[in-house]
Amino acid sequence: MALAPRLQKWFPWTRAPVICNGPMLGAATPALATEVTKAGGIGFLASAFNLDPGSPQLSKLDADLTESRRLLDQASPSPPSSSPLRIGISFITGHASIARFAETALPIIAKHRPAIVWLFAPAEAEAPAPSPRPHRAIIEALRKSAEESGGTVPRVFVQVGNVAAARAAVDDGADVLVCQGVDAGGHQFRRGAGVVSLVPEVRAMLDGEFAGRDVGVLAAGGIATDKAVAAMMALEAEGIVMGTKFTVARESEYPDHRKQLILETVDGGSSTLKSPFHDQMNKSTLWGPLYDGRAIVGPIHGKFLSGSSLEDCQRSLDKDYSPEEATRMLGTWAGTGVGLVQKAQPAGEIVRELREGAKEHLRKLAGLV
């Protein structure tokens, strides 16, 4: 099957090259996701991870899906009631409550029928079967629920950072692999590859080991311009996921001081750091040993990079900075492409500009050979 038509067959509202926003905690909103979708991309709501009964995250997911449907219905005539909602949702699957997915999250999915469920960061992403793998259980639960209700099974995207994780994801039943390179902002595999090598090697793995399976491939990580989108299409990515570019979108709920910092930051290779340090400083227990994150560095990072211990940095953060300064200094997640993000735009405009610009670059490249 040709590359773009596969996604457009599954998601008929999209236009190639397909642009997606990442499901960024603290940034993605119903307004952002629906504007991306309306522009011909795939919009994602922010990830959830606490699936315990009564979780505020589940209540927010329910409310955000309701708001997304309202916004999409305002924009165009309502699709048939049997049609999936043209929005994706996401779950971080390393939290202990993921075992309650069928009990707590599945009813919300059955109620709203989102077109896509994105999964990322299981505690044992590369564990061979039959070791417990939550993604397999989630995919089976989604299929069983759809069969029992007569509905459509949502397509499952699984975010991966290396070939081993991609292989495990396909074995679990993934429809699309989000191949996230190490240039990405936010959380990612500690042992990952750059997107330029990851996408082709995952393609080769799919061709050699899963030739009979219909599995899509998206590229993510450090992509911030139309030229980068064109480059990923040349690598046979079927679509693109961007995070940093959308954090400064008009519809993003990223705090203004973080948006401003992203717009002012240059030289992403030196002004961002990929490390577990960010989560260790925040004393976050969500992300297991397989994962770290990339964020913009501040003075406290400088101390760490100069040789101060984690404990010294934690003490300094408490002693030398106000709570507001400490909050601003940590957690501005951004990829190495941050220096190419130079203006804030509406999300739909971002999608259209990137898509049309990438097509023009591909035409120019074709004329050179």
Side-chain angles (χ1 to χ4, degrees):
M1 182 180 291
L3 298 181
R6 171 162 37 203
L7 289 185
Q8 291 177 297
K9 177 183 176 182
W10 292 345
F11 314 114
W13 71 86
T14 60
R15 298 175 60 189
V18 178
I19 309 295
C20 314
N21 70 280
M24 303 163 288
L25 278 166
T29 64
L32 191 153
T34 54
E35 287 302 310
V36 170
T37 287
K38 287 189 291 184
I42 301 177
F44 283 90
L45 298 174
S47 299
F49 57 85
N50 186 344
L51 306 189
D52 285 324
S55 163
Q57 291 186 16
L58 289 175
S59 298
K60 184 178 186 301
L61 177 61
D62 189 7
D64 284 355
L65 284 165
T66 298
E67 175 66 2
S68 296
R69 185 174 293 279
R70 185 188 71 80
L71 291 171
L72 288 174
D73 286 351
Q74 280 183 345
S76 60
S78 300
S81 59
S82 59
S83 298
L85 179 63
R86 296 175 294 156
I87 287 293
I89 64 174
S90 170
F91 297 97
I92 297 167
T93 57
H95 194 270
S97 64
I98 195 65
R100 310 191 79 158
F101 177 89
E103 172 191 354
T104 60
L106 197 56
I108 296 173
I109 295 170
K111 172 184 175 182
H112 294 283
R113 304 188 309 279
I116 302 152
V117 174
W118 173 318
L119 307 174
F120 176 49
E124 299 293 339
E126 301 171 21
S131 296
R133 294 219 297 251
H135 292 180
R136 178 173 297 177
I138 289 171
I139 293 168
E140 290 174 353
L142 290 168
R143 290 173 177 165
K144 182 179 179 182
S145 175
E147 289 171 2
E148 291 175 349
S149 66
T152 302
V153 183
R155 294 287 174 177
V156 176
F157 288 24
V158 176
Q159 181 177 332
V160 300
N162 54 53
V163 176
R167 180 180 294 109
V170 179
D171 189 55
D172 286 341
D175 296 298
V176 173
L177 301 174
V178 181
C179 295
Q180 181 197 39
V182 293
D183 280 354
H187 289 90
Q188 56 191 268
F189 281 75
R190 290 195 195 186
R191 297 175 64 191
V195 69
V196 172
S197 62
L198 181 60
V199 169
E201 191 171 2
V202 167
R203 274 269 173 226
M205 182 273 293
L206 291 173
D207 291 344
E209 301 176 29
F210 297 95
R213 288 281 300 278
D214 199 12
V215 180
V217 173
L218 300 181
I223 304 166
T225 66
D226 48 12
K227 291 180 180 179
V229 172
M232 294 303 104
M233 301 302 288
L235 292 173
E236 294 191 295
E238 297 163 62
I240 308 300
V241 176
M242 291 186 175
T244 308
K245 184 84 168 179
F246 283 107
T247 61
V248 298
R250 184 180 66 190
E251 300 85 357
S252 163
E253 64 179 5
Y254 226 31
D256 287 343
H257 71 270
R258 298 198 190 281
K259 289 184 177 182
Q260 190 60 36
L261 180 58
I262 284 174
L263 292 171
E264 293 172 352
T265 297
V266 297
D267 190 7
S270 64
S271 59
T272 67
L273 174 66
K274 172 180 160 63
S275 172
F277 176 76
H278 314 287
D279 292 315
Q280 291 166 341
M281 288 297 293
N282 283 319
K283 300 179 181 177
S284 171
T285 60
L286 176 60
W287 302 95
L290 294 177
Y291 310 101
D292 62 9
R294 184 183 294 278
I296 295 175
V297 302
I300 201 70
H301 299 82
K303 293 181 180 181
F304 178 69
L305 293 170
S306 296
S308 295
S309 69
L310 173 65
E311 293 74 17
D312 286 342
C313 290
Q314 289 172 333
R315 283 192 292 269
S316 175
L317 193 68
D318 291 337
K319 177 182 176 182
D320 301 331
Y321 303 94
S322 69
E324 181 181 4
E325 289 172 327
T327 298
R328 288 172 175 257
M329 201 181 307
L330 297 169
T332 303
W333 306 103
T336 59
V338 64
L340 298 168
V341 179
Q342 298 172 343
K343 62 179 179 178
Q345 300 171 265
E349 183 177 294
I350 292 172
V351 173
R352 288 185 289 270
E353 282 191 3
L354 289 169
R355 181 175 62 232
E356 296 310 310
K359 288 160 66 174
E360 181 61 26
H361 285 301
L362 289 168
R363 283 190 287 267
K364 288 180 180 178
L365 289 172
L368 296 177
V369 295

